[in-house]
Amino acid sequence: MLEKLLAQIQQYNPNSDMSLIIKAYNFAEAAHEGQIRKSGEKYFIHPLEVAKILVQLEMDDATIVAGLLHDVIEDTKYEYDEIKKEFSEEIAILVEGVTKLGSFTYETKEERQAESLRKMFLAMAKDIRVIIIKLADRLHNMRTLKYMDEKKKREKAKETLEIYAPIAHRLGISKIKWELEDLSLRYIDPEGYYDLVDKVAKKKREREEYINQVIHELMEALKKVNIKCEINGRSKHFYSIYRKMVYRHKTFEEIFDLTAVRVIVDNVKDCYGVLGIAHTMWKPIPGRFKDYIAMPKPNMYQSIHTTVIGPNGEPLEIQIRTWDMHRIAEYGIAAHWKYKEGKTEDKDDLDDKLRWLRQLLEWQRDMKDPKEFMESLKIDLFTNEVFVFTPKGDVIDLPAGSTPIDFAYKIHSAIGNSCIGAKVDGRIVPIDYKLKNGNIVEILTSKQSHGPSRDWLKFVKSTQAKNRIRQWFKKERREENIEKGRDMLEKEIKRNGHEVHELAKAQWMNQLVKKFKLNNIEDLYAAIGYGGILISQVIPKLKQMYKESVKEEKSSEEAIVAVNKQNKPKHTKKDTQGVKVKGIDNILVRFAKCCTPVPGDEIVGFITRGRGVSIHRADCVNILKEMDSMDRFIEVEWDEDRQKSYETEIQIISVDRKGLLSEVTNVISDINLTVTAVNARTTKDKVAVVNLTIEITNVQQLDKLIRRIKSMQGVLDVYRITS
């Protein structure tokens, strides 16, 4: 195995330090001695396979050595200093960068994942080779995922699809990106994956004959104009076909471009020559031409894409690029370390290519909430791009759905902060206008501008714009934010039926300051004021502290009330539906159908005209619209003494398959719940949508049910329905 590895390295890097590779090989093999993987093979096979993937990417010696050693710090007795002493500081830094956060504990799995990724991105900023090793590590783990249990398979596949495949895409490493996506699909929707594999295989021969005909005709035409080239067919990967079927609502039979033809030539001039010949031979389809040579993608990808009506009247995609462009398309940022006449690219050139990573780290540095961090990360990594122009003709790339405000902040923070309007293609447009490819955008600014509006946060798409707007409110209006935050908190406390002094006690507020990693209570008020911390994150915590502090006192009061009730004359009460209304015994209570609250939800009461008190969830959209009618809100709470069933509705989105509904009902039966209504349908793209109305006694039962159904094969999403 070692000889084969060394031979592969020698092929692309004759100057490689073979003694260093041999030393790392022997060190890692000895360090992992006695360790076994779930597959039953020696653990050392894993770092060896990771090193092989790095060799296929034609990486440098230090990266290959770090690949062999990447699990040594985490899984063996050796530590950073020993790796540094045995090899070098450069290699030790790479190994430590890949090592997971094993020595810390976190409250939630999401928080752990967010912090692990933060660490990885910081390591990437110091040396991008860290993530290349991590991608190789994840790729081999995905290749051997079949040995894990079903739950672990789905979790790893989902994380790979949401985080690691998009990172490979942003780094331009298509060789790894496509394989990660296809392997993830195999475990997220195995039935759909293998059905697709079977359908593609059946069409293979027919498709190959068609492609060979196209290649022959195009090659003959290019020979006549003396353009040297290599032409081959490129089959679409399973995940890209699957996405097209699911998100564009197409059946397999409706997808014609299962294969593209790739033409590789010697220079850029020949690229456009091939394009002209192809458009002369076959009619191009309008709107399907993309020139990524003139406007490269942010991940450095360059190529011309055009779709034509081919020989049999079927759509045919043609990709045209040079050999250098092809190398970048396959290896992406990894091509920087590929040896070429003993030299690598200039460091400034590499830094320029990784500017997006520096920006990503800068935008997300202030994010405290792990959920917000993960969501923004997925947006930054995974969204499609839109390419627009400045009035001077510079190309600006933004997430799809971006607005002129996103464009303004991409140019400069000062431009965004002083923006008062925008022109697109010479016409004044609303600032929430969604930009399209090719738009020429001009930002109108004014020195008299009062700065950004909080409403902008509702429609801007890019993380950069959101952070810059929040930072402006944070820095420019601290005193105003403190006052606004204090006012918001006090109003919300009163809306929840408490006095300010009951909930906003100094010791409890200081606990929140520590929780959110702030310096003092004023920072907490300011964060609430500028939107850095949501009021919905604060009130439940204060209420919990309040409940715990008065628990004994409340128990005593309830005992006295119980005695008093026994001594009172009996009278008929209206059914309170398991809810207590503060200060009122005999009142009609009904549950709002818009949000269907159940025990465990935070609830509020709203006094209606002639229909008693309407009970809503505290986060109900309809109740938030009534904030101006504060006098009609009344404090309510669940009556814990009454065990009552409540109806709520959930929706399940799943890949359609036999036995789905039967499995769902079995899960519900296992939890001992009752279904009162079922509405199931299948969309034309074979996605099942199932609505269930269920009787439950508390929200914990609902959470348990949703978790169980989410873990089922092929289930894409499960959520509680509210209007």
Side-chain angles (χ1 to χ4, degrees):
M1 291 188 292
L2 176 58
E3 286 177 4
K4 191 174 180 181
L5 186 71
L6 296 175
Q8 288 176 318
I9 297 170
Q10 193 77 34
Q11 280 183 353
Y12 72 87
N13 181 16
N15 300 319
S16 177
D17 184 352
M18 294 299 172
S19 62
L20 182 66
I21 306 292
I22 294 168
K23 181 181 178 181
Y25 182 98
N26 292 329
F27 187 94
E29 187 174 29
H32 292 293
E33 183 65 38
Q35 295 179 352
I36 304 294
R37 299 195 87 207
K38 284 189 180 293
S39 61
E41 63 187 7
K42 289 182 179 180
Y43 190 90
F44 175 65
I45 296 297
H46 170 63
L48 177 60
E49 290 298 326
V50 169
K52 284 182 181 178
I53 294 168
L54 296 170
V55 169
Q56 288 166 8
L57 293 175
E58 303 189 359
M59 296 301 295
D60 61 320
D61 289 350
T63 311
I64 296 166
V65 169
L68 286 165
L69 303 174
H70 79 275
D71 274 335
V72 166
I73 293 178
E74 183 178 352
D75 293 333
T76 77
K77 63 182 180 181
Y78 295 101
E79 296 181 357
Y80 172 87
D81 290 336
E82 291 167 287
I83 302 294
K84 179 180 173 182
K85 183 180 176 182
E86 283 288 330
F87 295 93
S88 68
E89 184 176 16
E90 177 189 19
I91 289 169
I93 288 171
L94 290 174
V95 174
E96 189 192 36
V98 183
T99 304
K100 297 172 195 162
L101 294 182
S103 56
F104 297 93
T105 55
Y106 299 97
E107 290 184 9
T108 65
K109 182 180 176 182
E110 193 165 47
E111 189 174 336
R112 179 182 179 82
Q113 185 188 37
E115 292 307 315
S116 294
L117 289 167
R118 277 187 207 271
K119 183 191 178 192
M120 191 169 68
F121 281 118
L122 287 170
M124 282 167 64
K126 294 177 186 174
D127 196 324
I128 195 64
R129 290 174 293 179
V130 167
I131 193 58
I132 296 175
I133 299 167
K134 185 65 183 174
L135 287 171
D137 170 55
R138 178 52 65 112
L139 178 55
H140 183 249
N141 281 333
M142 289 301 294
R143 286 174 178 174
T144 56
L145 197 61
K146 63 183 178 182
Y147 298 106
M148 307 293 282
D149 62 63
E150 288 302 320
K151 184 181 178 185
K152 202 75 172 174
K153 284 179 188 175
R154 283 179 58 82
E155 284 179 0
K156 287 290 181 187
K158 188 177 180 185
E159 183 184 56
T160 299
L161 202 56
E162 291 181 346
I163 303 294
Y164 291 98
I167 290 175
H169 172 68
R170 287 302 296 261
L171 294 175
I173 312 175
S174 61
K175 282 176 76 76
I176 287 182
K177 178 213 173 192
W178 290 118
E179 190 174 351
L180 286 176
E181 288 182 337
D182 284 355
L183 288 169
S184 297
L185 178 61
R186 181 190 298 181
Y187 296 107
I188 288 174
D189 181 10
E191 193 174 323
Y193 173 81
Y194 287 110
D195 180 56
L196 194 56
V197 170
D198 183 55
K199 286 177 178 174
V200 169
K202 286 178 180 176
K203 274 198 166 187
K204 186 177 179 182
R205 184 175 176 182
E206 171 189 332
R207 198 167 59 249
E208 285 178 349
E209 289 175 359
Y210 176 63
I211 289 302
N212 289 336
Q213 178 189 351
V214 168
I215 290 173
H216 175 74
E217 291 182 16
L218 186 56
M219 185 70 83
E220 290 299 313
L222 294 175
K223 279 180 182 177
K224 290 177 182 177
V225 292
N226 296 319
I227 293 179
K228 294 180 181 178
C229 65
E230 180 179 300
I231 309 177
N232 48 59
R234 185 191 72 85
S235 298
K236 279 195 178 291
H237 295 268
F238 296 119
Y239 183 69
S240 67
I241 301 170
Y242 181 87
R243 275 181 61 86
K244 190 173 285 189
M245 289 169 65
V246 172
Y247 295 104
R248 296 190 188 175
H249 308 295
K250 290 190 174 184
T251 64
F252 180 80
E253 289 69 26
E254 291 175 308
I255 299 174
F256 295 104
D257 54 340
L258 292 175
T259 309
V261 169
R262 182 177 291 149
V263 185
I264 307 175
V265 294
D266 293 332
N267 54 58
V268 173
K269 179 174 73 71
D270 285 347
C271 288
Y272 291 100
V274 172
L275 177 69
I277 295 294
H279 282 187
T280 303
M281 295 174 67
W282 303 297
K283 189 174 182 180
I285 298 176
R288 295 295 302 272
F289 170 73
K290 292 170 185 171
D291 188 348
Y292 295 121
I293 293 179
M295 289 191 297
K297 289 186 177 183
N299 64 2
M300 303 167 291
Y301 178 87
Q302 285 185 288
S303 192
I304 292 174
H305 291 195
T306 186
T307 304
V308 298
I309 301 297
N312 296 344
E314 293 182 4
L316 170 73
E317 185 184 30
I318 303 174
Q319 298 177 359
I320 311 163
R321 61 179 69 151
T322 67
W323 286 103
D324 283 342
M325 291 173 192
H326 182 60
R327 180 170 62 91
I328 295 292
E330 293 292 300
Y331 296 100
I333 201 71
H336 170 77
W337 281 273
K338 185 173 180 180
Y339 285 76
K340 189 178 181 183
E341 298 174 4
K343 296 179 182 179
T344 55
E345 295 175 57
D346 185 74
K347 186 178 185 301
D348 291 337
D349 184 42
L350 179 65
D351 286 342
D352 186 57
K353 289 172 182 175
L354 293 176
R355 190 181 294 125
W356 68 270
L357 173 60
R358 319 257 184 255
Q359 288 175 337
L360 185 145
L361 284 167
E362 181 188 342
W363 302 337
Q364 293 169 354
R365 191 178 293 123
D366 296 330
M367 290 187 184
K368 302 285 192 290
D369 182 15
K371 189 172 284 187
E372 183 185 6
F373 172 82
M374 293 302 294
E375 287 305 315
S376 67
L377 180 64
K378 289 170 189 176
I379 289 171
D380 289 328
L381 288 175
F382 208 37
T383 52
N384 293 322
E385 291 114 0
V386 58
F387 296 90
V388 296
F389 296 94
T390 67
K392 292 182 179 179
D394 296 325
V395 180
I396 302 295
D397 63 286
L398 294 163
S402 289
T403 67
I405 298 296
D406 293 284
F407 176 89
Y409 279 103
K410 184 71 180 272
I411 300 298
H412 198 280
S413 297
I415 302 293
N417 291 338
S418 58
C419 173
I420 57 169
K423 287 183 178 179
V424 173
D425 298 335
R427 296 184 299 107
I428 291 178
V429 297
I431 55 174
D432 61 352
Y433 172 86
K434 289 188 178 179
L435 299 173
K436 300 177 181 65
N437 279 320
N439 282 155
I440 300 172
V441 186
E442 180 184 353
I443 300 299
L444 308 177
T445 60
S446 170
K447 291 181 180 178
Q448 282 71 49
S449 167
H450 298 299
S453 164
R454 291 183 193 277
D455 289 337
W456 292 1
L457 289 169
K458 296 175 184 176
F459 57 76
V460 291
K461 189 73 175 178
S462 63
T463 305
Q464 182 182 20
K466 288 176 182 176
N467 279 2
R468 291 288 181 262
I469 294 167
R470 287 182 182 134
Q471 283 176 10
W472 189 89
F473 282 108
K474 184 178 179 180
K475 292 175 183 175
E476 301 293 326
R477 297 186 178 179
R478 178 170 169 79
E479 293 305 318
E480 180 186 326
N481 287 331
I482 291 171
E483 191 60 38
K484 181 172 182 181
R486 183 184 286 111
D487 185 53
M488 288 170 65
L489 184 62
E490 289 178 357
K491 283 183 177 177
E492 190 67 12
I493 287 173
K494 289 177 181 177
R495 192 181 75 77
N496 277 269
H498 291 273
E499 295 299 323
V500 174
H501 69 271
E502 285 180 335
L503 292 193
K505 290 185 177 180
Q507 67 266 33
W508 298 343
M509 296 293 283
N510 281 322
Q511 284 184 44
L512 290 179
V513 167
K514 290 179 183 177
K515 172 78 177 172
F516 292 113
K517 299 176 183 176
L518 301 171
N519 296 319
N520 51 53
I521 294 176
E522 284 195 340
D523 283 353
L524 178 62
Y525 284 135
I528 294 170
Y530 71 75
I533 294 174
L534 301 176
I535 199 78
S536 60
Q537 293 175 274
V538 175
I539 292 296
K541 290 179 174 63
L542 288 176
K543 288 177 76 173
Q544 183 62 32
M545 293 174 196
Y546 173 77
K547 284 179 181 177
E548 288 173 2
S549 72
V550 299
K551 198 171 185 180
E552 290 183 13
E553 182 182 342
K554 188 176 178 184
S555 297
S556 301
E557 287 177 359
E558 286 177 351
I560 294 168
V561 169
V563 171
N564 288 339
K565 279 184 178 177
Q566 286 178 1
N567 296 330
K568 281 184 180 181
K570 292 183 178 179
H571 58 271
T572 304
K573 293 182 182 178
K574 294 190 178 179
D575 185 7
T576 58
Q577 303 289 319
V579 171
K580 293 179 181 178
V581 181
K582 186 176 181 181
I584 305 174
D585 278 342
N586 191 16
I587 189 166
L588 178 65
V589 169
R590 66 182 185 86
F591 290 102
K593 292 183 179 178
C594 54
C595 56
T596 57
V598 296
D601 290 330
E602 291 286 337
I603 53 174
V604 295
F606 187 73
I607 300 170
T608 59
R609 292 181 176 86
R611 291 183 294 167
V613 176
S614 178
I615 308 298
H616 292 258
R617 278 165 47 189
D619 59 355
C620 176
V621 175
N622 290 334
I623 209 67
L624 294 175
K625 294 176 183 176
E626 302 290 345
M627 296 304 288
D628 294 336
S629 308
M630 293 300 293
D631 56 325
R632 293 176 65 187
F633 285 93
I634 189 167
E635 185 181 356
V636 293
E637 65 179 4
W638 295 104
D639 186 350
E640 295 176 2
D641 296 331
R642 286 198 59 179
Q643 289 295 316
K644 182 177 172 62
S645 293
Y646 301 85
E647 283 193 348
T648 192
E649 189 176 359
I650 63 170
Q651 185 168 89
I652 303 165
I653 308 294
S654 172
V655 176
D656 190 26
R657 60 181 177 82
K658 289 181 180 179
L660 173 65
L661 201 55
S662 175
E663 274 188 46
V664 170
T665 53
N666 285 339
V667 169
I668 295 168
S669 179
D670 285 346
I671 304 175
N672 202 23
L673 298 178
T674 303
V675 178
T676 58
V678 179
N679 183 1
R681 64 187 187 279
T682 304
T683 64
K684 65 178 181 181
D685 52 340
K686 295 187 178 178
V687 172
V689 181
V690 183
N691 286 47
L692 298 172
T693 304
I694 303 158
E695 283 190 357
I696 60 172
T697 56
N698 55 58
V699 76
Q700 287 77 22
Q701 287 183 328
L702 181 62
D703 291 341
K704 182 179 180 181
L705 176 62
I706 288 175
R707 282 197 306 272
R708 288 279 299 274
I709 295 176
K710 273 187 175 179
S711 67
M712 287 171 48
Q713 177 190 327
V715 172
L716 304 174
D717 201 1
V718 185
Y719 51 87
R720 185 175 171 185
I721 289 187
T722 56
S723 61

